Amino acid sequence: MENFKLNKRIIAGGVFLLIIITVGFFYLTLSKKGVYILFHIKLWYLFLLFIFWFFYALFDSIKFSLLSYIGEHKISIKTAFETIAIGIFLAAITPFQLSGLPVQIYYLYRRGVKVGEGTSYLLLRGMVTFTGILVLALPYAYILKSTFEGVMKGIFLYAIFIISIITLLYLLLFFAPSLLRRFIKGKSYEELTILRKVFLDAVKDKEKRRYLFYAFLSTIISLIFLGSIPYVAQIATQLHKFTLLRSIGYEMIVLSSLFFTPTPGGSGIAETSASYIFMGNIKGDYIFPFVVLWRFFTFYITGIIGGFIFIKEGKNLLK
């Protein structure tokens, strides 16, 4: 792990692809009125969006920090946030978001967390996050299913399909690991067995169960703040098309549709999904300002911070 390096060409190529896809999408949705709306948003709404992002990021970091209490090495909230931010930055610039996990493991390793332990923390964070999304998404999916038509229905069905596949994966991992091994082999299976062992050990221990519960509670709070961002973004752009509860439900569905995407950070796919799911009843000029606000405060702001942290660590990570 001491010699871990990330290829500069992968980073450069990912950044280039991200820029091309993002600029392309915004070019297609750009209009004079949309730009006018964006640049005339009241500062109060931008401040409110920042507050919602802050508490989303804070509780997400608290969750990760709490999960570390299951192991030997405790992670501070600051380190937890930095690790998450680096992962989001790398997810934003690499296809299929493949570079995030190994770099996050290395980042934790440089701060005294053993490789196996760091891996288990990150995998457990992913599972707890998915469980939170599942808990929030399914009730909304049942309630809102009749409101989706055309492309919206396609995105909705794809999100349900992805949720079902991941849920099945976890069920096999914990109840039929031998069956899972027929489909997943090598390092991926080894990482899943680490997750299984850590989770089952935590469930058996009363104190560790408490940390798991608190981490899950932090996840729900974090996702509620995240899901509230689209609601504020629509008001900021002079719209009142969906309620706060629907905003949270829509965000969980969009998140579910982005679990496995070929483009860096789901760029292009994320914006398109949001355009149809959130803005199904809204056309033209309002799409651009809404999507810019939504994407920036739900994803890019954390990724930008992660980019600065990554650059600071760059001499140790790039080859």
Side-chain angles (χ1 to χ4, degrees), residues 270-316:
E271 289 82 0
T272 302
S273 295
S275 298
Y276 280 102
I277 294 296
F278 288 111
M279 314 295 281
N281 298 317
I282 303 166
K283 306 299 180 185
D285 298 323
Y286 292 95
I287 294 177
F288 173 74
F290 172 82
V291 172
V292 168
L293 290 178
W294 168 77
R295 190 65 164 152
F296 181 78
F297 284 101
T298 60
F299 187 76
Y300 283 129
I301 185 171
T302 311
I304 291 169
I305 295 171
F308 283 113
I309 298 169
F310 181 80
I311 290 170
K312 183 181 176 182
E313 292 282 319
K315 62 183 179 180
N316 301 311

Side-chain angles (χ1 to χ4, degrees), residues 120-181:
S120 67
Y121 294 164
L122 289 162
L123 292 175
L124 194 56
R125 174 183 175 268
M127 188 181 76
V128 172
T129 301
F130 172 76
T131 305
I133 292 173
L134 186 67
V135 167
L136 290 175
L138 287 184
Y140 286 107
Y142 180 77
I143 294 169
L144 300 173
K145 63 181 181 180
S146 60
T147 67
F148 295 132
E149 296 178 354
V151 177
M152 291 175 67
K153 187 173 184 180
I155 295 170
F156 170 74
L157 292 175
Y158 176 74
I160 295 299
F161 172 74
I162 294 297
I163 287 175
S164 301
I165 292 297
I166 297 175
T167 302
L168 178 61
L169 175 67
Y170 283 128
L171 289 174
L172 289 175
L173 176 63
F174 291 110
F175 297 104
S178 58
L179 181 60
L180 182 64
R181 193 168 189 174

Side-chain angles (χ1 to χ4, degrees), residues 12 27 34 39 70 98 132 156 193 232 243 254 282 299 313:
Y27 175 77
F39 283 95
I70 292 172
L98 295 176
F156 170 74
T193 55
V232 179
T243 64
V254 172
I282 303 166
F299 187 76
E313 292 282 319

Side-chain angles (χ1 to χ4, degrees), residues 213-230:
F213 173 75
Y214 290 151
F216 175 72
L217 188 61
S218 296
T219 299
I220 297 297
I221 296 172
S222 174
L223 290 173
I224 288 173
F225 277 112
L226 178 66
S228 301
I229 289 175

Side-chain angles (χ1 to χ4, degrees), residues 191-207:
E191 290 175 346
L192 288 172
T193 55
I194 291 173
L195 171 62
R196 184 177 189 273
K197 182 180 183 304
V198 170
F199 179 76
L200 292 179
D201 287 346
V203 170
K204 294 174 184 177
D205 186 285
K206 184 178 179 180
E207 186 175 358

